[in-house]
Amino acid sequence: MTIANKLLSPAIIEQAKKEGALNALETVYAKARYAHFKRVKWGHEFFDGIQFGDGSLIAVKPGQFNRLTLVAVSSEAALA
């Protein structure tokens, strides 16, 4: 299990639904001091993400109807 999978709890997902994905991402970043922001490419656009020491990411992903969600990805290669 990656760091991103451990940190992306149901409570954070619920917070993203209520307060927005970017606010929830900032909350995770504030708690995880061993992470850094990273631009993540989904299709032809770039979105915010957090990368951890093991290479895993929590990234903002565009959804249907212009809704943003948070996803945990094991590595940047999984995005391609």
Side-chain angles (χ1 to χ4, degrees):
M1 181 171 260
T2 64
I3 295 172
N5 285 334
K6 291 178 184 176
L7 290 178
L8 192 59
S9 66
I12 295 295
I13 294 171
E14 190 62 33
Q15 180 184 356
K17 289 178 184 176
K18 291 179 182 175
E19 299 176 13
L22 294 176
N23 290 333
L25 189 67
E26 287 183 17
T27 300
V28 173
Y29 180 72
K31 292 179 183 177
R33 299 181 191 270
Y34 46 84
H36 64 276
F37 272 103
K38 177 142 183 106
R39 300 296 287 170
V40 179
K41 187 173 183 180
W42 292 101
H44 297 291
E45 297 183 42
F46 287 91
F47 293 90
D48 291 329
I50 300 173
Q51 187 167 30
F52 301 98
D54 65 350
S56 63
L57 296 129
I58 294 179
V60 174
K61 181 180 180 188
Q64 56 188 5
F65 304 114
N66 291 332
R67 188 169 178 99
L68 299 175
T69 59
L70 292 179
V71 294
V73 186
S74 59
S75 70
E76 210 170 342
L79 298 173

